[in-house]
Amino acid sequence: MLTSPLPLVSCRNTPPIKAYQRLTICSRRWNSVPAPKATSLAHPRVIFSGIQPTGVPHLGNYLGALREWVRLQDTAPKDTRLLFSIVDLHALTVPQEARQLKTWRREGFATLLAVGLDPSRATVFYQSAVPAHTELFWILSTVASMGYLSRMTQWKSKLDLPEDISLEDSAARSKLRLGLFSYPVLQAADILVHRATHVPVGEDQRQHLEFCRYTANSFNHLYGNIFPPPEAIISPAKRVMSLKEPTLKMSKSHTDKRSRILLTDSTEDIHKKVKSALTDSDASVSYDPVHRPGVSNLLEILSHFDGRSCEDLAEEYKSSSLQSLKGHLGSQISLHLEPIRERYLSLIADKTNYLDVVAEEGARTASANADITMRRVRKALGL
Ligand code: TYM
C-alpha cells in the first residue's frame, strides 16, 4: 500500500458534466452508459488513456483529458479497471534530447498525481516500463493498413506537409520516419494490450481511435475475438483553443508561450496570459465561434469551469466589458489550478522516492494486465 507524502488534492469541485460525446453513441452520462453491446458480456470495462511527456500539461490537456480521467476515476463503478500512462515511447517519434525527456517524463507523471489520480484506484505508469506495448505494436503492424496510415493527418502536420500529400511525394519520402508513420499502431497497441473498452481523450485523438477500432476488428477477423473495439469518450471540452491564435487548438508546439496556460502557472502568469489573449476589434462580449473565435474561446473556457452555457455567460457579460470577462476568467482558472500547482510543486520537490515507487507499482500492475492479453494473442497466433 502506497502512502502519499502529501494529502490528496480534491478535484471534485468541478461542475457537473452534462453529457459525454462518444464516437458511436452521443450525449449520455457515464453512469448511464451501457457497455458496448458487442463487448458487454465478454469484456469488463477498462478505461485507458495516455499523454505524451512534452513538459507540464496545459489547460487543453487538462480540460480535454486529465480532468475527465479524474472524474471517471471518481465516478466509475468499482469493478472498472483504470489505467493512465505517460506515453514516453510516442515522444521519440520527434527528435528528443535525453536529459530533457527524462525531466518531462517525471513532470508528466507528477502532474497526473497532482490533478487527482489516485494510485490506489488507478494504475499510473510509464509506457516504456511495460514491454508488452511494443510487442503488441509489432504484431498489430502485421495487420495495420498502410493505405489507412498514409491517409492519417498527424504525420503530415508534424512534418509541416500538406494534408493531401501522398507517400509517393519526394518531400514525404525524405522527411518521414517509420516511427512517426506507425505512431497510430503503437497507440492502438497501448489501448488494446489492456483490453480497454473506453478511451477518454480530446477531439484531436478521434482519428487515432477510429484507426484503433479498425485495427482491432482486422485482427479479430483474422485471429478470433480477442480485442474489444474500444470507444472514445470525447470530453465536453473537446478542443480548447490557443489564446494567441484562437482558430488553432492550444498546444505545446506553438512558439508563443502566452498561447497556453500551464497547470503550474502562477496566478499572476495566468492573469497576464488571459489579459493578452487575442480577441478582435470589438470590445463587447458575444458568443460567435465562427466570426469571433477569440472571445468565444474565452467564454468556452469559462463555461468549463463555471458550468453555465456560453450563451448564458455571453448574456451576463453583454453589458459589461471584455476586460471584466478576462479578469473573471483569470480568477476562475487560478482558483481551480492553485491546489494542483501546490501539490505538483510538493511532489516534484519530494526527496523520498514516492514518484518512483508509484511508477514501479504502476508498471507491475500494468504488466500483469497486459500479460493476460499477450498470452491470448500469442496463443491465437501460434507463438
Ligand atoms: P497528447 O499528449 O497530445 O494529449 C493528451 C490529451 O490531451 C488532449 N488535448 C486536448 N484536448 C482539448 N483541447 C486541446 N487543445 C488539447 N490538446 C490536447 C488530447 O486529445 C489527449 O487526450 N496520441 C496521444 C497520446 C496517446 C494516447 C494513447 C491517448 C498515446 N497512446 C492511447 C489515448 C490512448 C497524444 O499525443 O496526446
Side-chain angles (χ1 to χ4, degrees):
M1 176 72 180
L2 289 165
T3 43
S4 161
L6 308 153
L8 273 179
V9 72
S10 170
C11 293
R12 288 169 205 210
N13 56 344
T14 52
I17 303 299
K18 289 200 186 82
Y20 278 119
Q21 290 164 295
R22 310 163 76 218
L23 273 181
T24 46
I25 307 168
C26 284
S27 306
R28 301 240 191 104
R29 263 180 189 279
W30 162 255
N31 286 335
S32 65
V33 173
K37 272 207 178 69
T39 63
S40 57
L41 291 176
H43 303 285
R45 276 188 199 168
V46 180
I47 294 173
F48 175 89
S49 200
I51 181 166
Q52 288 200 56
T54 44
V56 173
H58 53 67
L59 196 62
N61 297 131
Y62 180 64
L63 294 173
L66 307 185
R67 185 169 78 165
E68 296 309 302
W69 300 0
V70 176
R71 217 184 69 78
L72 288 165
Q73 164 191 272
D74 294 345
T75 57
K78 285 270 171 292
D79 62 351
T80 302
R81 193 185 286 266
L82 300 135
L83 301 111
F84 299 106
S85 183
I86 298 293
V87 289
D88 44 9
L89 295 173
H90 275 108
L92 302 178
T93 56
V94 293
Q96 297 286 348
E97 205 267 298
R99 271 201 8 217
Q100 177 71 92
L101 182 59
K102 195 171 177 193
T103 307
W104 281 349
R105 287 169 88 237
R106 192 161 183 273
E107 288 177 354
F109 201 92
T111 309
L112 295 195
L113 303 191
V115 296
L117 287 181
D118 172 0
S120 69
R121 173 70 181 99
T123 301
V124 187
F125 67 103
Y126 293 110
Q127 178 192 37
S128 61
V130 181
H133 285 240
T134 40
E135 184 185 356
L136 185 60
F137 157 72
W138 173 254
I139 290 168
L140 292 180
S141 73
T142 67
V143 300
S145 156
M146 283 287 287
Y148 198 142
L149 287 166
S150 68
R151 289 189 298 277
M152 293 179 81
T153 52
Q154 180 169 289
W155 65 268
K156 298 167 195 166
S157 61
K158 281 267 184 272
L159 298 177
D160 251 336
L161 295 170
E163 260 197 39
D164 58 356
I165 199 162
S166 95
L167 277 181
E168 308 310 316
D169 190 286
S170 61
R173 291 173 91 93
S174 64
K175 285 180 159 184
L176 183 60
R177 297 288 174 267
L178 182 58
L180 181 60
F181 187 64
S182 58
Y183 179 115
V185 187
L186 180 58
Q187 179 157 348
D190 296 337
I191 296 165
L192 299 178
V193 84
H194 294 293
R195 306 175 300 287
T197 54
H198 295 84
V199 185
V201 282
E203 192 173 57
D204 60 342
Q205 297 301 310
R206 201 183 271 277
Q207 195 181 54
H208 286 150
L209 262 291
E210 293 282 11
F211 174 82
C212 177
R213 286 172 65 86
Y214 182 86
T215 306
N217 286 330
S218 306
F219 184 95
N220 288 347
H221 183 70
L222 288 169
Y223 298 110
N225 200 12
I226 306 259
F227 301 122
E231 295 193 34
I233 300 176
I234 305 286
S235 156
K238 54 187 179 184
R239 203 169 155 82
V240 176
M241 308 308 268
S242 157
L243 296 180
K244 283 294 173 192
E245 253 183 284
T247 50
L248 301 177
K249 70 168 185 175
M250 186 178 283
S251 88
K252 272 286 166 63
S253 47
H254 201 286
T255 46
D256 189 341
K257 287 190 173 149
R258 294 170 307 166
S259 68
R260 55 189 168 265
I261 289 171
L262 302 185
L263 297 192
T264 52
D265 276 348
S266 66
T267 300
E268 196 191 342
D269 283 344
I270 293 171
H271 276 286
K272 269 194 202 151
K273 286 180 181 177
V274 175
K275 260 194 197 141
S276 74
L278 186 82
T279 49
D280 49 43
S281 53
D282 185 345
S284 72
V285 175
S286 63
Y287 184 59
D288 181 352
V290 175
H291 300 105
R292 306 197 64 199
V295 65
S296 301
N297 186 34
L298 300 180
L299 286 166
E300 279 173 18
I301 296 173
L302 182 56
S303 83
H304 296 308
F305 287 109
D306 175 291
R308 279 180 291 167
S309 72
C310 297
E311 288 78 8
D312 285 355
L313 289 168
E315 189 58 34
E316 183 185 323
Y317 280 92
K318 202 168 70 178
S319 48
S320 53
S321 66
L322 188 56
Q323 284 319 312
S324 67
L325 169 66
K326 285 183 168 179
H328 181 57
L329 176 60
S331 305
Q332 285 291 301
I333 298 174
S334 322
L335 203 68
H336 193 93
L337 295 191
E338 198 175 300
I340 295 175
R341 180 168 158 265
E342 275 173 16
R343 184 165 161 80
Y344 169 86
L345 292 175
S346 312
L347 282 164
I348 275 293
D350 181 44
K351 291 280 180 272
T352 70
N353 58 351
Y354 177 70
L355 288 177
D356 298 336
V357 175
V358 173
E360 276 163 28
E361 189 159 312
R364 257 195 305 279
T365 310
S367 293
N369 188 48
D371 286 348
I372 296 172
T373 313
M374 291 317 296
R375 276 197 291 278
R376 292 179 195 166
V377 168
R378 289 190 208 110
K379 188 169 174 209
L381 292 166
L383 295 174

